[in-house]
Amino acid sequence: MRNTMNISASLLVLVMGFSLVACGNSSPAALPPANNTEVQTPAPAPEQQPEESAMIEAKGILTGWADPHTVEIRVNEEPMSFQVGEDVQKSLDDIDDEDSVQFKYVEKAIEGDTTIKQLVLTEIVKIETKEDSNGSDTGGNVTSDRPKTSELEVTVEGMTEKRPVTLAQGKGYSLYVFKPMTFDADDHELTMKIDPDYEVKIDKLPSNYNLNDLKVDAKKELSETGAVKQLSEEKLSKGPMKDARLFMMAQNDKKSEYVIVKELDGTGFVFHIHAPVGEPSEGFLPMVYASIHSIKNE
């Protein structure tokens, strides 16, 4: 009995030994082969720069600054806004509002919206005019002892403000001229720089002039434009030409014409005013009236 138990125990130990050996020799489960290749992260796409057009050249009239980085220029009577960098700002220091300019610019697409173009000014110069070569917009050499520059009040669309003016010399008289205008002493004409069709013809009258004769001539002249109207003293008393001796006018859908007789500094003058219908007409007459009032015999 004891021998039987010993044999059984020996067999059990032997079986367990084989089991241990079998477990020790078993191979581990196969693992996927290691991949030593580094993962390549795609390089970021280069930042897309807004598309830029080729250089464009144009001419126009400098209107002025809209903000510290934007300037407005009228091109073919259409206002256009341009972005201005620091390098170009210096070029604008010697250019006044209403000066004629020649310039270059590019069109840049706004990032994220290619349908909107930003105009960027790259170069600008003032176009020298005949008046500039003579040193001023005053036509002849100034001999008057009046201040060469001053300010005059002008009322446009109900707003009254003072604007800079320059002394102009006519034949036998002087007057002040606003920057958007120029005076031709030889032809006695005051015109707008942007459009010379806006003009005033100035005639100095003799001491013995006849007002009725001037009225007849004015009616004949104005009738070619339309129905002639003469403003009464009552109507004139409410406007800037309240002391005019004669104020007649006619107009149609294209222009307005005026004939005004006024005595200034003891001498009579007649003014023939031609004002086409258009944007500049808003400030034209107020500046003309102010310049007329500034006339002084020399």
Side-chain angles (χ1 to χ4, degrees):
M1 185 68 172
R2 181 177 298 176
N3 291 337
T4 301
M5 292 179 64
N6 289 339
I7 292 172
S8 298
S10 298
L11 289 174
L12 180 62
V13 172
L14 183 61
V15 171
M16 291 179 65
F18 280 117
S19 298
L20 290 175
V21 171
C23 289
N25 292 334
S26 62
S27 299
L31 297 176
N35 188 355
N36 295 324
T37 305
E38 295 182 1
V39 177
Q40 298 295 327
T41 304
E47 184 178 350
Q48 293 293 324
Q49 296 296 327
E51 293 184 5
E52 182 175 301
S53 71
M55 195 77 68
I56 303 171
E57 296 188 26
K59 293 180 181 180
I61 304 294
L62 179 68
T63 302
W65 290 91
D67 60 50
H69 305 288
T70 308
V71 73
E72 184 177 275
I73 301 174
R74 292 194 303 276
V75 180
N76 296 325
E77 297 302 315
E78 293 294 330
M80 299 175 67
S81 296
F82 298 87
Q83 296 298 303
V84 183
E86 294 183 1
D87 54 334
V88 181
Q89 286 183 4
K90 297 177 182 178
S91 302
L92 288 156
D93 290 344
D94 298 325
I95 304 177
D96 296 321
D97 293 354
E98 301 301 325
D99 279 345
S100 298
V101 292
Q102 183 170 342
F103 59 97
K104 297 179 182 180
Y105 69 97
V106 294
E107 296 180 344
K108 287 186 176 181
I110 301 296
E111 187 175 356
D113 189 345
T114 58
T115 62
I116 301 177
K117 301 293 185 181
Q118 184 181 60
L119 308 183
V120 181
L121 199 64
T122 59
E123 185 178 321
I124 184 168
V125 293
K126 178 180 177 180
I127 298 176
E128 296 295 331
T129 63
K130 177 182 176 182
E131 290 79 13
D132 295 324
S133 62
N134 289 335
S136 69
D137 297 331
T138 59
N141 294 325
V142 178
T143 58
S144 173
D145 58 359
R146 301 169 74 181
K148 299 299 183 287
T149 59
S150 185
E151 290 184 333
L152 292 180
E153 282 191 351
V154 59
T155 302
V156 179
E157 297 182 346
M159 300 292 293
T160 300
E161 60 183 5
K162 288 186 176 182
R163 295 184 180 180
V165 289
T166 303
L167 186 65
Q169 186 70 57
K171 294 179 180 178
Y173 63 93
S174 63
L175 75 163
Y176 282 104
V177 178
F178 290 88
K179 282 189 173 184
M181 307 186 76
T182 185
F183 178 69
D184 188 322
D186 294 329
D187 293 331
H188 299 275
E189 288 183 349
L190 186 64
T191 59
M192 292 283 284
K193 291 179 182 178
I194 186 174
D195 188 346
D197 284 342
Y198 290 84
E199 65 176 357
V200 183
K201 180 75 174 178
I202 303 173
D203 290 326
K204 190 174 182 179
L205 297 170
S207 58
N208 61 344
Y209 73 89
N210 186 298
L211 187 63
N212 287 329
D213 290 343
L214 293 173
K215 181 178 178 179
V216 171
D217 292 341
K219 188 172 183 179
K220 182 179 179 180
E221 175 186 334
L222 294 170
S223 63
E224 297 179 3
T225 300
V228 180
K229 300 178 182 178
Q230 179 177 348
L231 271 64
S232 64
E233 289 186 6
E234 180 181 357
K235 289 186 177 180
L236 287 173
S237 65
K238 301 176 182 179
M241 302 300 288
K242 57 186 177 182
D243 53 354
R245 297 202 62 195
L246 180 68
F247 192 112
M248 300 177 70
M249 64 175 292
Q251 58 188 161
N252 54 38
D253 59 348
K254 295 182 179 179
K255 63 181 179 179
S256 296
E257 301 277 354
Y258 305 82
V259 175
I260 301 172
V261 176
K262 186 175 174 64
E263 289 191 359
L264 296 154
D265 198 24
T267 300
F269 290 84
V270 58
F271 305 94
H272 304 263
I273 303 174
H274 177 76
V277 174
E279 183 181 350
S281 61
E282 295 179 0
F284 175 63
L285 285 177
M287 288 189 290
V288 167
Y289 294 151
S291 290
I292 285 174
H293 285 300
S294 74
I295 289 180
K296 181 179 179 181
N297 282 310
E298 298 292 348

